[in-house]
C-alpha cells in the first residue's frame, strides 16, 4: 500500500503541475487515480442534502459519464453514497439496476463498467469516487482493496484543502471547479422553472431531466439553455394549460 500511495502522490503532483489552480484539485485527483489504477477514467462528486455536484473528471468520457448520472437521476455514484458502501457494476449490473443510466452511458460513451466508492470525512459521507472501465478492461482487473486505499486518500486530500482554506467565506476552492459551476447553473434553472410554473422543486428538476433525456442532451447543457432563455419554462410544462 505504501508503494501505491507513493505512486498516487507522484501522479497527483504531476497532474497538479498541469492544473495549478486550487479549484482544479478534483480534476487532478481524478487524473492521478487513472495513472495508478487499472481503469480508463475517474470522476469525483460531492453529495450534500440530496444534491449531487460533479467536481472533476479525468477525461471527456468520464465527464460525460458523470453528467449522465445527474441527468437521469440514477447510477452507481448515487447508490454508493446512499448505501455508504462500494458499488461494483459490470454492464449487466448497470443495465439491471439503473436502466436509464445504462442506455445513456452505452449510447454516449465507451464505458461499460463502473466502480463507485463513497468519499467520507471524519463523520459522514461527502460524495463518491467513480472509476470507469471500457473494454477490454473489466471490473475483475481492479483490486477493491487498492481502490478503497485510493478513495480514502482522495477524501483526505479534499479535506486537507478544505481545512487550509477555511478563511474563505464561500467554502473550499474545489467548489469553484468548472463542473461545480455548471451544476450551480442547474439549480438556478430549477429555481426558474419552480417560480415560473408554480411547481415544487422536485417536479421542476424532473421536468428538466425529462426534457434533457428527450433531447438526448445533459442536464447541464439544458440548464444553460434555460438560463439563456433558449428554452422557456412553458416549453417544459407537461400540461401547459394547467402549469400555472
Amino acid at each position: 500500500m505504501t508503494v501505491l500511495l507513493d505512486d498516487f502522490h507522484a501522479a497527483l503532483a504531476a497532474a497538479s503541475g498541469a492544473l495549478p489552480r486550487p479549484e482544479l484539485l478534483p480534476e487532478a485527483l481524478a487524473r492521478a487515480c487513472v495513472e495508478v489504477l487499472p481503469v480508463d477514467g475517474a470522476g469525483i462528486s460531492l453529495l450534500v442534502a440530496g444534491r449531487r455536484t460533479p467536481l472533476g473528471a479525468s477525461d471527456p468520457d468520464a465527464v460525460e459519464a458523470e453528467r449522465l448520472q445527474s441527468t437521469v437521476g440514477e447510477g452507481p455514484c448515487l447508490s454508493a453514497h446512499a448505501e455508504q458502501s462500494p458499488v461494483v457494476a459490470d454492464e449487466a449490473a448497470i443495465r439491471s439496476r439503473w436502466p436509464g443510466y445504462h442506455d445513456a452511458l452505452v449510447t454516449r460513451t465507451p464505458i461499460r463498467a463502473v466502480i463507485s466508492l463513497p468519499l467520507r470525512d471524519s463523520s459522514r459521507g461527502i460524495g463518491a469516487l467513480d472509476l470507469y472501465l471500457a473494454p477490454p478492461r473489466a471490473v475483475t482487473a481492479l483490486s477493491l482493496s487498492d481502490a478503497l486505499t485510493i478513495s480514502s486518500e482522495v477524501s483526505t486530500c479534499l479535506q486537507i484543502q478544505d481545512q487550509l482554506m477555511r478563511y474563505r467565506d464561500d467554502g473550499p476552492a474545489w467548489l469553484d471547479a468548472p463542473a461545480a459551476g455548471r451544476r450551480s447553473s442547474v439549480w438556478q434553472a430549477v429555481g426558474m422553472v419552480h417560480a415560473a410554473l408554480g411547481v415544487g422543486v422536485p417536479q421542476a428538476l424532473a421536468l428538466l431531466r425529462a426534457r434533457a433525456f428527450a433531447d438526448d442532451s445533459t442536464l447541464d447543457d439544458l440548464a444553460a439553455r434555460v438560463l439563456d432563455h433558449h428554452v422557456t419554462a412553458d416549453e417544459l410544462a407537461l400540461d401547459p394549460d394547467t402549469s400555472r
Side-chain angles (χ1 to χ4, degrees), residues 1-229:
M1 292 303 174
T2 301
V3 172
L4 178 63
L5 289 176
D6 287 346
D7 289 346
F8 176 76
H9 283 288
L12 178 59
S16 297
L19 301 165
R21 301 201 310 273
E23 69 270 21
L24 298 180
L25 173 63
E27 185 176 341
L29 288 166
R31 291 187 184 185
C33 289
V34 176
E35 284 296 315
V36 301
L37 295 173
V39 299
D40 298 288
I44 296 170
S45 58
L46 179 73
L47 291 107
V48 176
R51 294 186 175 187
R52 179 177 184 271
T53 301
L55 297 179
S58 59
D59 61 275
D61 287 330
V63 168
E64 187 72 8
E66 291 285 288
R67 290 181 181 181
L68 290 173
Q69 291 195 68
S70 298
T71 298
V72 301
E74 64 177 18
C77 167
L78 297 168
S79 295
H81 177 71
E83 299 164 9
Q84 282 300 291
S85 63
V87 172
V88 180
D90 59 12
E91 185 177 358
I94 297 172
R95 185 189 302 113
S96 174
R97 294 189 62 178
W98 314 284
Y101 181 59
H102 170 267
D103 292 348
L105 187 71
V106 301
T107 300
R108 301 173 68 118
T109 80
I111 294 165
R112 296 297 180 270
V114 186
I115 297 172
S116 293
L117 306 156
L119 299 176
R120 298 183 58 83
D121 65 12
S122 58
S123 60
R124 62 189 175 89
I126 59 172
L129 168 66
D130 292 324
L131 302 172
Y132 297 109
L133 299 100
R137 282 198 174 103
V139 292
T140 53
L142 177 60
S143 160
L144 185 57
S145 176
D146 287 351
L148 288 168
T149 295
I150 294 302
S151 69
S152 177
E153 199 65 14
V154 168
S155 294
T156 298
C157 290
L158 292 173
Q159 290 173 61
I160 288 173
Q161 188 190 73
D162 187 13
Q163 293 165 2
L164 290 174
M165 307 194 77
R166 283 294 172 88
Y167 64 87
R168 289 169 49 111
D169 293 332
D170 54 350
W174 33 265
L175 288 178
D176 295 329
R182 287 190 293 269
R183 186 44 39 87
S184 176
S185 296
V186 168
W187 295 113
Q188 292 178 50
V190 167
M192 287 179 62
V193 175
H194 160 70
L197 299 182
V199 299
V201 169
Q203 186 178 357
L205 178 58
L207 290 172
L208 287 165
R209 281 178 167 151
R211 176 60 181 265
F213 186 80
D215 289 353
D216 192 26
S217 182
T218 65
L219 195 58
D220 295 338
D221 291 340
L222 176 60
R225 291 163 60 201
V226 170
L227 294 179
D228 289 340
H229 303 288

